[in-house]
Amino acid sequence: MWSYHPDLLAKPVPRYTSYPTAMEFTGGVGADDYARALDAIEAATPISLYVHIPFCEQICWYCGCNTGAAGRKQRLADYLVALRAEIALVAKRLGGRGRVQRIAFGGGSPNAIAPVELVRLLDRILTVFDAHRPEVSIELDPRGFSAEWALVLAAAHVTRVSLGVQTFAPHVQQAIGRIQPLSHIERVVAALRLRDIDAINFDLMYGLPGQSLADLDATLDETIRLEPSRIALFGYAHLPDIIPRQRRIDASGLPDQRLRFEQAAHGYRRLTDAGYIPVGFDHFARPGDPLALAAAEGRVSRNFQGFTEDEAPVLLGFGASAISRFPDLIVQNEKRAGPYRDLVGEGRLTAVRGVSIDEAQRVRGKNIRDLLCRGRTHVDPERKAHVRTILADYERRGIIEWDAGDLVIRDEGLPYARHVAAQFDSVRGAI
């Protein structure tokens, strides 16, 4: 189905959850720019909110998220005070403009806080933003899940839950420091469905230490049996120099590049054969799921949580390291929890770095987003000859083709979608 091109796979490229990417953020863009962008939001503009909880009960060795241990209860309590204050500060600045349609809780592990704290946090958001029954999603660590959490999530009208499953293979779980038996995941799924929370996502990984193709296949067997609404199948990135906790992983057991490719291809084949609709290069949704419907209608977008059907032009991020996005601006909050709390305590917006987006970058960003989300993008006729020359090698290998003025990624070229998209990146590409 897919052709193996090791020279291309050896070239690291961003995941392009934004363009420009976080690597281009600078300290020259920050709170003042964020304030101006907030002030420019017009009435009734659709807005999505992201709330970051940078704590976990247990830290997994593979994880690259901005998170720390939740053992110090006072530290966690102080963070939640600051988070509620930041939410109120931004909402006051908006002054009732904007219409909140979605709220996403991520981390870390949002269930590292007590269920009652989640209720208080959500109630604060709904109140200060005057939000009426928005879609609410939450990422959960299954190891910290309980029947109380299922009850609270249902009472809070949470509409979607994402579970960090990663793998069902016990020896692989041991190798990444995340022990969670299949029987426990089954109980979590059953408890959620008992409370009528049926929109359940599984996050899975390939390329993990000691993970064979048979291990991945067995995990996919159980996943397909449990029938989550959506599945994200990510490749593990081993970056111990950047992510110190990954140094606990024995790198000698990591699959080589060829096996990683085979695992990705096998996962794609198994899930599509099981009836899942592929969305981009690593997401899958059951027919009828809003993401699958958006894919069929060409409405898929991309944000910091991956592929999404969320079309809101404004995303406001709350909490340490959270990112906010506007049509012409991306800003990121202070990453460190202590300085983040200090900024909020002073009544200041917490954005400390970011990037402004000009018209040329918007065009490049649209090309990148369309290639990743739709598998094709329109190229200006005046630029087509140049683009075709730059991408001649991809065309020769059968990765891309042309449909009149549209550049199209062929089915065989799906694993290289980000490599093609990167050619439109003004920092990394040649177009």
Coordinates of all heavy atoms in Angstrom, one line a residue, residues 189-233:
V189 N -14.1 2.3 30.1 CA -15.0 2.5 29.0 C -16.4 2.2 29.4 O -17.4 2.9 29.0 CB -14.5 1.6 27.8 CG1 -15.5 1.6 26.7 CG2 -13.2 2.1 27.3
A190 N -16.6 1.1 30.1 CA -17.9 0.7 30.5 C -18.6 1.7 31.4 O -19.8 2.0 31.3 CB -17.9 -0.7 31.2
A191 N -17.8 2.2 32.4 CA -18.3 3.2 33.3 C -18.7 4.5 32.6 O -19.8 5.1 32.9 CB -17.2 3.6 34.4
L192 N -18.0 4.9 31.6 CA -18.3 6.1 30.8 C -19.6 5.9 30.0 O -20.5 6.7 30.0 CB -17.2 6.5 29.8 CG -15.9 7.0 30.5 CD1 -14.8 7.1 29.5 CD2 -16.2 8.4 31.1
R193 N -19.7 4.7 29.4 CA -20.9 4.4 28.6 C -22.1 4.2 29.5 O -23.2 4.5 29.0 CB -20.6 3.2 27.7 CG -19.7 3.5 26.6 CD -19.3 2.3 25.7 NE -18.5 2.7 24.6 CZ -17.7 1.9 23.9 NH1 -17.6 0.6 24.2 NH2 -17.1 2.4 22.8
L194 N -21.9 3.7 30.7 CA -23.0 3.6 31.6 C -23.7 5.0 31.9 O -24.9 5.1 32.1 CB -22.6 2.9 32.9 CG -23.6 2.7 33.9 CD1 -24.6 1.6 33.4 CD2 -23.0 2.1 35.2
R195 N -22.8 6.0 31.8 CA -23.3 7.4 32.1 C -23.6 8.1 30.8 O -23.7 9.4 30.8 CB -22.2 8.2 32.9 CG -21.9 7.6 34.3 CD -23.1 7.7 35.2 NE -22.9 7.1 36.5 CZ -23.7 7.1 37.5 NH1 -24.9 7.6 37.3 NH2 -23.4 6.5 38.6
D196 N -23.8 7.4 29.7 CA -24.1 7.9 28.4 C -23.1 8.8 27.8 O -23.4 9.7 27.0 CB -25.5 8.6 28.5 CG -26.6 7.7 28.8 OD1 -26.6 6.6 28.3 OD2 -27.5 8.1 29.5
I197 N -21.8 8.6 28.2 CA -20.7 9.3 27.5 C -20.2 8.3 26.5 O -19.4 7.4 26.8 CB -19.6 9.7 28.5 CG1 -20.2 10.7 29.6 CG2 -18.5 10.4 27.8 CD1 -19.2 11.1 30.7
D198 N -20.6 8.4 25.3 CA -20.3 7.5 24.2 C -19.2 7.9 23.3 O -18.6 7.2 22.5 CB -21.5 7.2 23.4 CG -22.6 6.5 24.2 OD1 -22.3 5.5 25.0 OD2 -23.8 6.9 24.1
A199 N -18.9 9.3 23.3 CA -17.8 9.8 22.4 C -16.5 9.6 23.2 O -16.1 10.4 24.0 CB -18.1 11.2 22.1
I200 N -15.8 8.5 22.9 CA -14.6 8.1 23.6 C -13.5 8.0 22.6 O -13.6 7.3 21.6 CB -14.8 6.8 24.4 CG1 -16.0 6.9 25.4 CG2 -13.5 6.4 25.1 CD1 -16.3 5.6 26.0
N201 N -12.4 8.7 22.9 CA -11.2 8.6 22.0 C -10.1 7.7 22.7 O -10.0 7.8 23.9 CB -10.6 10.0 21.7 CG -11.6 11.0 21.2 OD1 -12.7 10.6 20.8 ND2 -11.1 12.2 21.0
F202 N -9.4 7.0 21.9 CA -8.2 6.3 22.3 C -7.0 6.9 21.7 O -6.9 7.1 20.5 CB -8.2 4.8 21.9 CG -9.0 3.9 22.8 CD1 -9.9 4.4 23.8 CD2 -8.8 2.5 22.8 CE1 -10.6 3.5 24.6 CE2 -9.5 1.6 23.6 CZ -10.4 2.2 24.5
D203 N -6.0 7.2 22.5 CA -4.6 7.6 22.0 C -3.7 6.3 22.1 O -3.5 5.8 23.2 CB -4.0 8.7 22.8 CG -4.7 10.0 22.6 OD1 -5.4 10.2 21.6 OD2 -4.6 10.9 23.5
L204 N -3.2 5.9 20.9 CA -2.3 4.8 20.8 C -1.0 5.2 20.3 O -0.9 6.3 19.7 CB -2.9 3.7 19.9 CG -4.3 3.2 20.2 CD1 -4.7 2.2 19.1 CD2 -4.4 2.6 21.6
M205 N 0.0 4.4 20.5 CA 1.4 4.7 20.0 C 2.0 3.5 19.4 O 1.8 2.4 19.8 CB 2.3 5.2 21.2 CG 1.8 6.5 21.8 SD 3.0 7.2 23.0 CE 4.1 8.0 21.9
Y206 N 2.8 3.8 18.4 CA 3.7 2.8 17.8 C 5.2 3.3 18.0 O 5.4 4.5 18.4 CB 3.4 2.5 16.3 CG 3.6 3.6 15.4 CD1 4.8 3.9 14.8 CD2 2.6 4.5 15.1 CE1 5.0 4.9 13.9 CE2 2.7 5.6 14.2 CZ 4.0 5.8 13.6 OH 4.2 6.8 12.7
G207 N 6.1 2.5 17.7 CA 7.5 2.9 17.8 C 8.0 2.9 19.3 O 9.0 3.5 19.6
L208 N 7.3 2.2 20.1 CA 7.6 2.2 21.6 C 8.7 1.1 21.8 O 8.9 0.1 21.1 CB 6.4 1.9 22.4 CG 5.3 2.9 22.4 CD1 4.1 2.4 23.1 CD2 5.8 4.2 23.1
P209 N 9.5 1.2 22.9 CA 10.5 0.3 23.2 C 10.0 -1.2 23.4 O 9.0 -1.3 24.1 CB 11.2 0.8 24.5 CG 10.1 1.7 25.1 CD 9.4 2.3 23.9
G210 N 10.6 -2.1 22.7 CA 10.2 -3.5 22.9 C 8.9 -3.8 22.2 O 8.4 -5.0 22.3
Q211 N 8.4 -2.9 21.4 CA 7.1 -3.1 20.7 C 7.3 -3.8 19.4 O 7.9 -3.2 18.5 CB 6.3 -1.8 20.6 CG 4.9 -1.9 20.0 CD 4.3 -0.5 19.8 OE1 5.0 0.4 19.4 NE2 3.0 -0.4 20.2
S212 N 6.8 -5.0 19.2 CA 6.8 -5.7 18.0 C 5.6 -5.4 17.1 O 4.6 -4.8 17.6 CB 6.9 -7.2 18.2 OG 5.7 -7.7 18.8
L213 N 5.6 -5.9 15.9 CA 4.4 -5.7 15.1 C 3.2 -6.5 15.7 O 2.1 -6.1 15.6 CB 4.7 -6.2 13.6 CG 3.8 -5.7 12.5 CD1 3.7 -4.2 12.5 CD2 4.2 -6.3 11.2
A214 N 3.6 -7.7 16.3 CA 2.5 -8.5 16.9 C 1.9 -7.8 18.1 O 0.7 -7.9 18.4 CB 3.1 -9.9 17.3
D215 N 2.8 -7.1 18.9 CA 2.3 -6.3 20.0 C 1.3 -5.3 19.6 O 0.2 -5.1 20.2 CB 3.4 -5.6 20.8 CG 4.4 -6.6 21.4 OD1 3.9 -7.7 21.9 OD2 5.6 -6.3 21.5
L216 N 1.6 -4.5 18.5 CA 0.7 -3.5 18.0 C -0.6 -4.1 17.5 O -1.7 -3.6 17.8 CB 1.4 -2.7 16.9 CG 0.5 -1.7 16.2 CD1 0.1 -0.6 17.2 CD2 1.3 -1.0 15.0
D217 N -0.4 -5.3 16.8 CA -1.6 -5.9 16.3 C -2.6 -6.4 17.4 O -3.8 -6.2 17.3 CB -1.2 -7.1 15.4 CG -2.3 -7.7 14.5 OD1 -2.8 -6.8 13.8 OD2 -2.6 -8.9 14.5
A218 N -2.0 -6.9 18.5 CA -2.8 -7.3 19.6 C -3.5 -6.1 20.2 O -4.7 -6.2 20.6 CB -2.0 -8.0 20.6
T219 N -2.8 -5.0 20.3 CA -3.4 -3.8 20.9 C -4.6 -3.3 20.0 O -5.6 -2.9 20.4 CB -2.4 -2.7 21.0 OG1 -1.5 -3.0 22.1 CG2 -3.0 -1.3 21.3
L220 N -4.4 -3.4 18.7 CA -5.4 -3.0 17.7 C -6.6 -3.9 17.8 O -7.7 -3.5 17.7 CB -4.8 -2.9 16.3 CG -3.8 -1.8 16.1 CD1 -3.1 -2.0 14.7 CD2 -4.4 -0.5 16.1
D221 N -6.3 -5.2 18.0 CA -7.5 -6.2 18.2 C -8.4 -5.7 19.3 O -9.6 -5.7 19.2 CB -6.9 -7.6 18.5 CG -6.4 -8.3 17.3 OD1 -6.8 -8.0 16.2 OD2 -5.7 -9.3 17.5
E222 N -7.8 -5.4 20.5 CA -8.6 -5.0 21.6 C -9.2 -3.6 21.4 O -10.4 -3.4 21.8 CB -7.7 -5.0 22.9 CG -7.1 -6.3 23.2 CD -8.1 -7.4 23.6 OE1 -9.3 -7.1 23.7 OE2 -7.7 -8.6 23.7
T223 N -8.5 -2.7 20.8 CA -9.1 -1.4 20.5 C -10.3 -1.5 19.6 O -11.4 -0.9 19.9 CB -8.0 -0.5 19.8 OG1 -6.9 -0.3 20.7 CG2 -8.6 0.8 19.4
I224 N -10.2 -2.3 18.5 CA -11.3 -2.5 17.6 C -12.5 -3.1 18.3 O -13.7 -2.7 18.1 CB -10.9 -3.3 16.4 CG1 -9.9 -2.5 15.5 CG2 -12.1 -3.7 15.6 CD1 -9.2 -3.3 14.5
R225 N -12.2 -4.0 19.2 CA -13.3 -4.7 20.0 C -14.0 -3.7 20.9 O -15.2 -3.8 21.1 CB -12.7 -5.8 20.8 CG -13.7 -6.6 21.7 CD -13.1 -7.7 22.5 NE -12.1 -7.3 23.4 CZ -12.3 -6.8 24.6 NH1 -13.5 -6.7 25.1 NH2 -11.3 -6.5 25.4
L226 N -13.3 -2.8 21.5 CA -13.9 -1.8 22.4 C -14.6 -0.6 21.7 O -15.3 0.1 22.3 CB -12.8 -1.3 23.4 CG -12.2 -2.3 24.4 CD1 -11.0 -1.7 25.1 CD2 -13.3 -2.6 25.4
E227 N -14.3 -0.5 20.4 CA -15.1 0.4 19.6 C -15.0 1.9 20.0 O -16.1 2.5 20.2 CB -16.5 0.0 19.4 CG -16.7 -1.3 18.7 CD -18.1 -1.7 18.5 OE1 -18.9 -1.7 19.5 OE2 -18.5 -1.9 17.4
P228 N -13.9 2.5 20.3 CA -13.8 3.9 20.6 C -14.3 4.7 19.3 O -14.2 4.2 18.2 CB -12.4 4.2 20.9 CG -11.6 3.1 20.1 CD -12.5 1.9 20.2
S229 N -14.8 5.9 19.6 CA -15.3 6.8 18.5 C -14.2 7.2 17.6 O -14.3 7.3 16.4 CB -16.0 8.0 19.1 OG -17.0 7.6 20.0
R230 N -13.1 7.6 18.2 CA -11.9 8.0 17.5 C -10.6 7.4 18.0 O -10.6 7.0 19.2 CB -11.7 9.6 17.6 CG -12.9 10.4 17.1 CD -12.7 11.9 17.3 NE -13.9 12.6 16.9 CZ -14.0 14.0 17.1 NH1 -12.9 14.6 17.5 NH2 -15.1 14.6 16.7
I231 N -9.7 7.3 17.1 CA -8.4 6.7 17.5 C -7.3 7.6 16.9 O -7.3 8.0 15.7 CB -8.2 5.3 17.0 CG1 -9.3 4.4 17.5 CG2 -6.8 4.7 17.3 CD1 -9.4 3.0 16.8
A232 N -6.3 8.0 17.7 CA -5.1 8.6 17.3 C -4.0 7.6 17.4 O -3.8 7.1 18.5 CB -4.8 9.9 18.1
L233 N -3.2 7.4 16.4 CA -2.1 6.4 16.4 C -0.8 7.2 16.1 O -0.5 7.5 15.0 CB -2.3 5.3 15.4 CG -1.2 4.3 15.3 CD1 -1.0 3.5 16.6 CD2 -1.6 3.3 14.2

